[in-house]
Amino acid sequence: MPKPITQTPTTDPTPTSTAAPTFPPSFLWGAATSAYQIEGAVREDGRTPSIWDTFSHTPGRTAGGDTGDMAVDHYHRYRDDVALMKDLDLGTYRFSVSWPRVQPTGRGPAVQRGLDFYRRLTDELLAQGIKPALTLYHWDLPQELEDAGGWPARDTAYRFAEYAGMVGEALGDRVDLWITLNEPWCSAFLGYGSGVHAPGRTEPAATLRAAHHLNLAHGLATQALRQTLPPRAEVAVSLNSSTVRPLSPDSPADNDARRRIDNLANGVFHGPMLHGEYPADLITDTAGITDWSFIHATDLAAIHQPLDALGLNYYTPSLVSSAPSAPTTRSDGHGASDHSPWPGADDVAFHQSPGERTEMGWTIDPTGLHDLIMRYTREAPGLPLYITENGAAYDDKPDPEGRVHDPERIAYLHGHLSAVHRAIKDGADVRGYYLWSLMDNFEWAYGYEKRFGAVYVDYATQKRTPKSSAHWYAQASRTNQLPPAN
Ligand code: FCB
């Protein structure tokens, strides 16, 4: 058994009452996945390769050379997967649309066979009473668009807006929650900075250009969606906003390191998206890398679109200090690289936060989630929040009877959902929570090594087995209350 979560120094304070935390009646309980991580069928029905197909097929890029060619075969098994969601009493399901499946090569007309898959999936969800939440971009850029420059190229933002409009037109009648981008930080800083994600480039200036064009893509796509979606539809973005903490809270140098990383992790996206401007000190801190002349006069207005909600993805906080020379090889939790994902911050060291860790090596700290929710409650007053991802990887294994018992994941979920509950009590408008992930899947550079699912997948047979956390979560969803963690 893991140590009860309330005994570690960094966990959420124990509620004084013994009553089970109860959520608002309309609170949505969901699970999330993404296209490349689950669908497989990479060469079917006209789909063309994305940067993740190319990257995962490049030797040395993913653990064991794993690819998403088959993933968990969701493209063919979606009906059974939706039935499983129903069995688990999910109220909502967040999935992503594969861009190269609906607009092969990233240009030209939409392909009906690709769109039909998402029509069938959403019909199935609606038939089971499960609310679909659609992410337009979860990292699978069509390879042709990368060949034309990728996210550092301005045109990619316009291509994305066109694609968003096509999907909006096709599915706007049945999807009410739309997320433009998933974690643009990972796309820009891991894809073009440290290179541990596709397309695997390591160019500090291109990283910041990519970040700007992802912001522009979000703004233009939001405008395109507004033209096709019915007024009831909500448009949001999912940010992996980090809770960044200084190693020595009294050290001015560590606080300055915290400020700089916070700008590169958070301000670079929420600045323009929520406030219509980049943090001024982000521009000056990175002046040695770029002059930011890629920002055109009307861009900030285009990016700063009214949103209906903000999605927050949270796993673990960051702990930083000032360091004259930070280590040259670093693991940022997504993979090791000799290149920093943080342009202009080579003199910042990252530390392991104290406390227990998940199988990813990520410290379990629900206070970071509470802090994050309260931060955005202050930064964007009145903007409803969804936790669009939260969860943990563990080394799950079936017992001799084939059952998968994962008490550590139950403790993780209990701790973080308690933090959400506390934030709601503190005045935050959190409308729902999406557990990452519905089922075990392709965990990017880690391949199939890391299991995040509430449902266990036997990759040899594709058999799905709900873990004990899935049953625990189903009970929470059914009762709108957190069952005890043990
Ligand atoms: C997030 C990604 C998601 C998954 C989890 C563990 O950064 O959005 O696809 O990999 O991490």
Side-chain angles (χ1 to χ4, degrees):
M1 275 300 282
K3 213 163 41 155
I5 206 153
T6 46
Q7 289 180 13
T8 60
T10 51
T11 51
D12 205 50
T14 313
T16 40
S17 121
T18 50
T22 302
F23 285 72
S26 57
F27 192 80
L28 286 170
W29 300 83
T33 62
S34 87
Y36 190 70
Q37 294 180 276
I38 63 163
E39 284 181 3
V42 292
R43 281 175 280 274
E44 280 178 48
D45 294 334
R47 182 187 181 279
T48 53
S50 76
I51 53 175
W52 268 98
D53 295 86
T54 308
F55 189 78
S56 65
H57 279 270
T58 306
R61 291 304 205 170
T62 63
D66 289 348
T67 73
D69 285 5
M70 167 67 94
V72 293
D73 198 28
H74 172 74
Y75 192 71
H76 300 117
R77 294 168 193 261
Y78 72 92
R79 265 201 186 88
D80 292 345
D81 288 340
V82 174
L84 190 55
M85 294 176 214
K86 176 71 181 166
D87 286 348
L88 295 175
D89 282 295
L90 293 188
T92 178
Y93 172 57
R94 174 176 175 239
F95 63 96
S96 81
V97 171
S98 160
W99 186 349
R101 200 182 283 294
V102 310
Q103 192 191 30
T105 79
R107 292 175 200 279
V111 160
Q112 289 310 315
R113 280 173 302 168
L115 286 172
D116 283 346
F117 169 68
Y118 298 103
R119 287 197 182 99
R120 292 195 301 272
L121 171 65
T122 46
D123 280 351
E124 201 69 25
L125 289 166
L126 292 168
Q128 300 288 6
I130 300 168
K131 176 184 167 120
L134 183 156
T135 304
L136 283 164
Y137 186 71
H138 202 124
W139 309 350
D140 43 1
L141 186 72
Q143 180 62 42
E144 280 78 359
L145 294 186
E146 174 57 30
D147 296 344
W151 286 110
R154 187 175 173 86
D155 187 53
T156 304
Y158 292 88
R159 301 277 61 76
F160 181 68
E162 184 183 87
Y163 153 71
M166 288 171 169
V167 182
E169 212 167 305
L171 300 173
D173 59 343
R174 62 196 79 193
V175 176
D176 289 348
L177 179 53
W178 291 74
I179 293 157
T180 54
L181 303 175
N182 177 70
E183 301 191 358
W185 185 85
C186 291
S187 299
F189 290 74
L190 301 179
Y192 297 91
S194 65
V196 300
H197 277 189
R201 287 164 58 180
T202 52
E203 304 160 34
T207 301
L208 297 172
R209 288 176 76 96
H212 178 64
H213 295 141
L214 282 152
N215 281 326
L216 185 60
H218 159 77
L220 297 173
T222 301
Q223 294 176 42
L225 288 174
R226 296 288 185 208
Q227 281 172 21
T228 64
L229 298 183
R232 65 166 189 277
E234 293 176 284
V235 179
V237 61
S238 285
L239 302 177
N240 51 323
S241 301
S242 304
T243 302
V244 189
R245 294 172 172 156
L247 183 64
S248 308
D250 296 334
S251 151
D254 288 3
N255 276 292
D256 194 57
R258 191 213 70 80
R259 176 190 63 75
R260 286 157 57 207
I261 296 302
D262 187 60
N263 274 341
L264 287 165
N266 303 315
V268 67
F269 298 107
H270 76 224
M273 287 181 184
L274 301 180
H275 309 303
E277 57 188 11
Y278 284 100
D281 49 352
L282 167 69
I283 307 290
T284 48
D285 286 343
T286 54
I289 298 197
T290 177
D291 60 6
W292 294 79
S293 56
F294 45 78
I295 305 177
H296 292 195
T298 55
D299 286 1
L300 289 166
I303 298 167
H304 187 205
Q305 295 298 311
L307 293 177
D308 303 300
L310 180 65
L312 299 176
N313 295 0
Y314 173 83
Y315 291 90
T316 189
S318 302
L319 189 62
V320 302
S321 71
S322 150
S325 56
T328 47
T329 298
R330 43 179 107 209
S331 174
D332 53 29
H334 296 267
S337 170
D338 293 344
H339 299 269
S340 166
W342 306 102
D346 285 340
D347 54 347
V348 174
F350 283 72
H351 305 268
Q352 183 80 45
S353 302
E356 288 179 45
R357 305 176 197 179
T358 68
E359 190 67 14
M360 295 296 280
W362 299 349
T363 300
I364 303 165
D365 186 351
T367 67
L369 179 54
H370 179 269
D371 289 355
L372 192 62
I373 296 171
M374 298 319 292
R375 174 188 188 165
Y376 283 96
T377 297
R378 286 188 300 271
E379 285 230 3
L383 190 62
L385 304 174
Y386 289 96
I387 306 308
T388 39
E389 283 182 27
N390 177 241
Y394 286 104
D395 187 18
D396 308 305
K397 291 193 176 65
D399 68 13
E401 281 77 47
R403 290 176 308 215
V404 185
H405 189 43
D406 58 344
E408 304 90 346
R409 185 172 288 102
I410 293 177
Y412 183 98
L413 297 174
H414 186 275
H416 287 77
L417 279 156
S418 299
V420 173
H421 184 261
R422 188 158 67 87
I424 293 172
K425 280 209 321 211
D426 292 345
D429 183 8
V430 186
R431 303 270 170 104
Y433 173 95
Y434 292 84
L435 184 167
W436 184 273
S437 178
L438 171 67
M439 53 193 163
D440 296 334
N441 58 47
F442 175 77
E443 179 45 40
W444 308 114
Y446 292 93
Y448 297 97
E449 257 178 18
K450 305 292 184 206
R451 293 181 176 272
F452 272 92
V455 173
Y456 183 87
V457 179
D458 177 337
Y459 294 120
T461 61
Q462 294 292 352
K463 180 167 182 260
R464 278 79 159 132
T465 305
K467 304 174 191 176
S468 43
S469 60
H471 297 298
W472 180 90
Y473 191 66
Q475 192 184 332
S477 174
R478 228 172 10 250
T479 59
N480 217 23
Q481 281 189 346
L482 291 187
N486 45 37

